[in-house]
Amino acid sequence: MTNILPFSRNVQECEIGVETKILAPTTENIALAGQLLRDGRLVALHTETVYGLAANAFDTAAVSEIFAVKGRPQDNPLIVHIADVDDVHRLTRWFPETARKLAGAFWPGPLTMVLPKNKAVPYAVTCGLDTVALRMPGSPVMLAAIRAAGTPLAAPSANRSGRPSPTRAAHVMDDLGGKIPLIIDGGSCEIGVESTVISIIASRTDGAVPAKIKILRPGAVTADEIAAATGLSVGSDIEIDPAVLSPLPEDAAPPSPGMKHRHYAPRAEVILVEGDFDGFADVVSRVVGDAGPYKLWAMCFAGEGDKLSVPYIEYGGENDHLGQCGAIFDALRRLDAMGAERVYVRAPSRDGIGLAAYNRLLRAAGFRVVNLHKET
């Protein structure tokens, strides 16, 4: 594995002070985005998950610019986006039958597969790993931009590293305005959290038979849906990586984005509270005196906020996990705008897509959790 990355630039050297335009996804503007990407520039693009900061995946200098503009740790690999399933052969040396089944079921869409990379993929994209994360996005804007550029695009979320991911063009402008030339505004992102990332582990040295799928980052494609598409079993054949719910060791190399570093966090301190609403309301009321009613905020489910004694933001219904995902990052950014200093968040269920919402909030909280189920 190559550990020394060919980065020649840093955040102080990246392009600063450029005029950032927000343009609609017209044919002319998509063509402009494609030209900028061919020229080695960065463009922020709408996807169905979150906005992505895109560069030509084969251009090492452009890829290094992503890390510089975002202030992204250089051991945090990027996802490469393609516009056609056949493009996987430009990027990986192995595309097994299980991967083909998953691509048929979920591409275009919010599923990323980590597979062995080929020599064409720069180590700058994979952060020294011999695997590459691949996705065919569902957004017509992103697909059109990939085709206009004529190349696969490396694209993490279009935000400053560690901040809540952007689900609207205005979020991108808040974080990256003046650093990139163009944002293509496709409206709000339909899903609102990043894609499910999986690795496929082979049981034979020739890679012909996959023995296990590991979910490295939860998203809108769930373990049960993966099982239905592949014929594999959740638990024995499909497992959740421990890093989904606990910190990855500092000396570990993350195979996927969203596994190691501080992610999704507002400026406020976030505390996740597991338990029923009455317990959550009691926790919030007990700390009002310490935090002050104008510094302490709550994130709760629809219809609960007016029962609390502090300012609040609601983020979807208690059983509407997809709605929760779509609201989380916008809510965290709104809390910053309101000047919140400490935020207590009512934790979603970990069932189905709820695991994606829980994972994002857990990392936003820096793994600070009050578990009312365990209190006696």
Side-chain angles (χ1 to χ4, degrees):
M1 182 177 74
T2 301
N3 292 315
I4 300 174
L5 305 183
F7 296 157
S8 60
R9 308 184 73 179
N10 58 40
V11 71
Q12 284 77 32
E13 296 172 328
C14 68
E15 191 173 26
I16 301 293
V18 300
E19 179 186 3
T20 302
K21 295 182 178 179
I22 300 180
L23 300 178
T26 64
T27 300
E28 180 181 8
N29 292 337
I30 292 292
L32 172 61
Q35 183 62 57
L36 287 168
L37 291 161
R38 287 194 299 276
D39 291 343
R41 307 287 293 281
L42 306 185
V43 176
L45 298 165
H46 172 275
T47 84
E48 77 279 23
T49 56
V50 300
Y51 275 77
L53 181 62
N56 180 345
F58 298 127
D59 185 336
T60 296
V63 169
S64 70
E65 190 86 358
I66 289 176
F67 287 82
V69 165
K70 282 177 59 71
R72 184 181 179 90
Q74 293 186 0
D75 63 348
N76 196 9
L78 306 178
I79 293 173
V80 178
H81 296 70
I82 59 176
D84 189 277
V85 174
D86 288 341
D87 287 341
V88 298
H89 302 296
R90 301 174 63 184
L91 300 155
T92 182
R93 62 180 187 272
W94 179 59
F95 193 58
E97 182 60 27
T98 293
R100 294 177 189 278
K101 289 180 180 178
L102 290 168
F106 302 113
W107 282 3
L111 179 71
T112 295
M113 291 185 271
V114 177
L115 297 165
K117 83 175 193 70
N118 64 22
K119 293 180 179 179
V121 180
Y123 278 113
V125 169
T126 68
C127 295
L129 299 175
D130 288 320
T131 54
V132 61
L134 302 178
R135 178 166 100 89
M136 184 177 174
S139 167
V141 173
M142 187 62 148
L143 291 173
I146 296 168
R147 293 179 178 125
T151 180
L153 299 178
S157 56
N159 58 322
R160 295 198 312 275
S161 187
R163 292 274 294 143
S165 298
T167 56
R168 295 189 286 119
H171 297 162
V172 182
M173 181 63 84
D174 287 345
D175 278 10
L176 303 182
K179 297 182 179 182
I180 60 174
L182 181 60
I183 302 166
I184 297 294
D185 185 356
S188 296
C189 299
E190 296 88 345
I191 294 173
V193 295
E194 298 81 356
S195 60
T196 302
V197 180
I198 65 167
S199 64
I200 301 174
I201 303 166
S203 62
R204 284 176 19 192
T205 55
D206 62 5
V209 181
K212 193 178 291 285
I213 288 176
K214 182 175 286 188
I215 296 177
L216 305 178
R217 182 180 72 187
V221 177
T222 67
D224 287 339
E225 290 173 325
I226 291 169
T230 60
L232 300 176
S233 299
V234 176
S236 57
D237 303 318
I238 302 168
E239 65 179 28
I240 307 295
D241 192 282
V244 168
L245 296 173
S246 59
L248 194 70
E250 282 301 313
D251 59 351
S256 161
M259 294 186 72
K260 181 176 181 181
H261 298 281
R262 183 175 184 264
H263 287 286
Y264 321 121
R267 287 184 286 273
E269 177 188 20
V270 175
I271 299 97
L272 195 60
V273 181
E274 294 191 31
D276 62 22
F277 175 74
D278 289 340
F280 175 76
D282 182 60
V283 167
V284 171
S285 65
R286 279 190 276 137
V287 297
V288 167
D290 295 332
Y294 301 104
K295 298 179 182 179
L296 176 68
W297 282 68
M299 272 180 65
C300 56
F301 301 130
E304 295 179 345
D306 59 3
K307 303 172 188 175
L308 297 171
S309 57
V310 298
Y312 63 89
I313 288 178
E314 296 176 339
Y315 76 107
E318 182 173 5
N319 298 311
D320 180 9
H321 300 318
L322 190 58
Q324 294 164 9
C325 287
I328 285 172
F329 294 138
D330 186 65
L332 292 174
R333 286 176 175 269
R334 287 167 58 199
L335 287 163
D336 273 348
M338 297 294 186
E341 294 181 1
R342 181 182 295 179
V343 181
Y344 283 82
V345 181
R346 184 134 123 78
S349 162
R350 302 181 194 180
D351 296 333
I353 299 174
L355 181 62
Y358 185 93
N359 168 264
R360 301 319 190 269
L361 288 167
L362 182 66
R363 290 193 169 274
F367 298 93
R368 291 181 292 265
V369 179
V370 175
N371 191 334
L372 301 178
H373 300 300
K374 294 182 179 179
E375 293 188 359
T376 58

